[in-house]
Amino acid sequence: MKRISNYINGVLSEPISGSYLDLYNPSTGQPYAKVPDSDVRDVEKAFTAAEEAFANWSSMPVGDRSRVLTKIADLIEDNLERLASAESLDNGKPVSLAIQVDIPRAAANFRFFAQAITQFSTSAHEMSDAINYTLRQPLGVVGTISPWNLPLYLFTWKIAPALAAGNTVIAKPSEVTPMTAFLLSELCIEAGLPKGVLNIVHGDGLKVGAEITKHPKVKAISFTGSTKVGREIARVAAPMFKKISLEMGGKNPNIIFADCNYEKMLATTVRSSFANQGQICLCGSRIFIESTIYDKFKTDFVNRVKMLKVGPPSESSTDIGAIVSQVHYEKILSYIQLAKEEGGTILTGGTAVFPKGHDHGWYIEPTIIEGLDADCRTNQEEIFGPVVTIMPFDSEKEVLAYANSTNYGLSCTVWTENISRANRIAKAIEAGIVWVNTWLLRDLRTPFGGVKNSGVGREGGLEALRFFTETKNVCIQF
Ligand code: NAD
């Protein structure tokens, strides 16, 4: 069985313990590879390598750093199909999605920050007899911890700005989907990234992620994952005065007014509900529909969703692939059961399904539920699967109260042709990201993140470069 390696100090290496965890193929439910079960010793080794590499990497001319990162972007693009197949096998997502979204975005992350750092400037404040100028200096060794839903996409979203800004990195991908991070380490070697600049330590959250978080000399933690783990990272890192950036869970509202562009809304809502099996933190899992079009929407939405093909991730005709892990599959099914107990009616889906030849795979039909109150657990807790609820509303005030009623505040989608209303909702909604008449349209320069239990800090563009640098003011009197 294939064994993947850690990437520490520029070389691929075994975990010091010599032990490995099983890596599962979600479409068959069977193990297919082994991932290092690293521990504190591997984290320490990675830290030493990163600390030694920092002086050279941080003082390298920006143009040179930029060239290495651009080379990594080129290599990701050259390996598009290989990386996409690996991502699809590891995660269960349709290979078509990995080809169109995950892997191109991973390359774009490197390319974007390779360019952005060459444009990153600081400010000066003039006084009558002095000048102040601001330095923005890299922090040192930083830690990044990422989840399984968009494995290479989110892994690189953190690494690229951290490296561009001159830091050295200890990165921990999810142990559930580590394969493309491993393949990236091979590409970093090919690109000539100096040793120790990026160190990828694979393994369990408690043995690796927690050790990176509590390491006294790791200066910042950039985390994407669940609110539960984010809270634990904040608890450990805050008293150490580390910088933290936390991108966490969501329970996003999708608000549909009767005056919307109906066809565009319907097609996009199918995607925003079920893309990546509903396992995107930005998916709109609570759909609110103005009552005058509720029945029409319900019929059309259910019909469209029934047409989605649940199937093996490797088949190009598949719309909905497999759920990432058995634990997560069981969690989603338990929430469907809860929805029934809470009085919900399943309009379509609601059960596990086994495509031909995949009797042990983790597949769930795209599921639409109606008849639930906005404040029940199904509508308040993150399910993070192919499950959405639909609910009618009569007024802006009413729908805003529903939309803002959860502890989460990541994103919101609003469908209306009324520009004043769109602005009113955008202003009043408790979320870090609002999409009007679109969904998941991303410009990498924009701030990305959530409010309430969805996030602390912002990623993207200059926000990420600011996070990964420390500000210093220098005042010189004439
Ligand atoms: P998770 O929190 O279980 O794990 C995320 C990462 O943290 C993994 O690498 C894991 O090994 C590590 N980890 C676990 N325990 C740790 C600890 N005690 N200390 C340090 N690291 C630890 O999340 P997941 O199940 O991998 O991902 C799904 C979650 O991620 C969902 O809640 C989803 O909403 C969220 N997410 C958020 C965003 C966003 O941008 N806000 C994007 C994608 C996913």
Side-chain angles (χ1 to χ4, degrees), residues 97 111 395 474:
L97 187 69
R111 204 175 295 293
S395 71
V474 181

Side-chain angles (χ1 to χ4, degrees), residues 411-428:
S411 71
C412 170
T413 307
V414 187
W415 291 95
T416 178
E417 292 294 299
N418 179 332
I419 186 80
S420 303
R421 175 155 59 200
N423 278 293
R424 279 194 302 272
I425 303 260
K427 210 164 167 183

Side-chain angles (χ1 to χ4, degrees), residues 12 44 128 135 159 174 182 192 239 287 327 329 376 390 435 467:
L12 302 177
E44 198 51 52
S128 59
L135 292 175
I159 288 168
S174 169
F182 164 65
I287 308 177
V327 173
Y329 165 81
C376 69
I390 61 172
W435 278 294
F467 174 75

Side-chain angles (χ1 to χ4, degrees), residues 145-148 172 175 205 209 224-226 247-249 281 382 448:
I145 301 172
S146 47
W148 49 254
K172 186 200 132 21
E175 66 278 22
T224 299
S226 64
E247 301 294 345
M248 302 179 287
C281 54
E382 186 183 43
F448 179 93

Side-chain angles (χ1 to χ4, degrees), residues 206 210 213 226-238 246:
L206 285 176
T213 307
S226 64
T227 298
K228 180 167 167 253
V229 172
R231 184 175 284 118
E232 173 61 12
I233 288 175
R235 189 188 67 77
V236 174
L246 305 174

Side-chain angles (χ1 to χ4, degrees), residues 261-325:
N261 175 336
Y262 190 82
E263 265 312 306
K264 185 179 177 201
M265 175 279 297
L266 191 61
T268 310
T269 295
V270 172
R271 229 166 33 86
S272 68
S273 303
F274 299 114
N276 204 36
Q277 297 73 248
Q279 303 167 137
I280 299 180
C281 54
L282 306 163
C283 279
S285 52
R286 295 178 296 147
I287 308 177
F288 300 102
I289 306 104
E290 197 166 3
S291 8
T292 50
I293 58 162
Y294 182 83
D295 288 336
K296 175 175 167 50
F297 172 82
K298 174 169 131 179
T299 308
D300 294 343
F301 187 46
V302 168
N303 287 340
R304 288 279 180 106
V305 170
K306 279 188 170 154
M307 283 158 58
L308 295 175
K309 187 182 161 212
V310 182
S314 58
E315 288 181 10
S316 57
S317 58
T318 289
D319 298 305
I320 308 279
I323 301 300
V324 71
S325 68

Side-chain angles (χ1 to χ4, degrees), residues 321-350:
I323 301 300
V324 71
S325 68
Q326 184 165 6
V327 173
H328 195 53
Y329 165 81
E330 284 168 4
K331 175 188 155 183
I332 297 168
L333 290 175
S334 77
Y335 268 102
I336 294 173
Q337 179 58 29
L338 173 71
K340 290 184 199 158
E341 288 162 14
E342 288 185 319
T345 304
I346 311 285
L347 298 176
T348 184

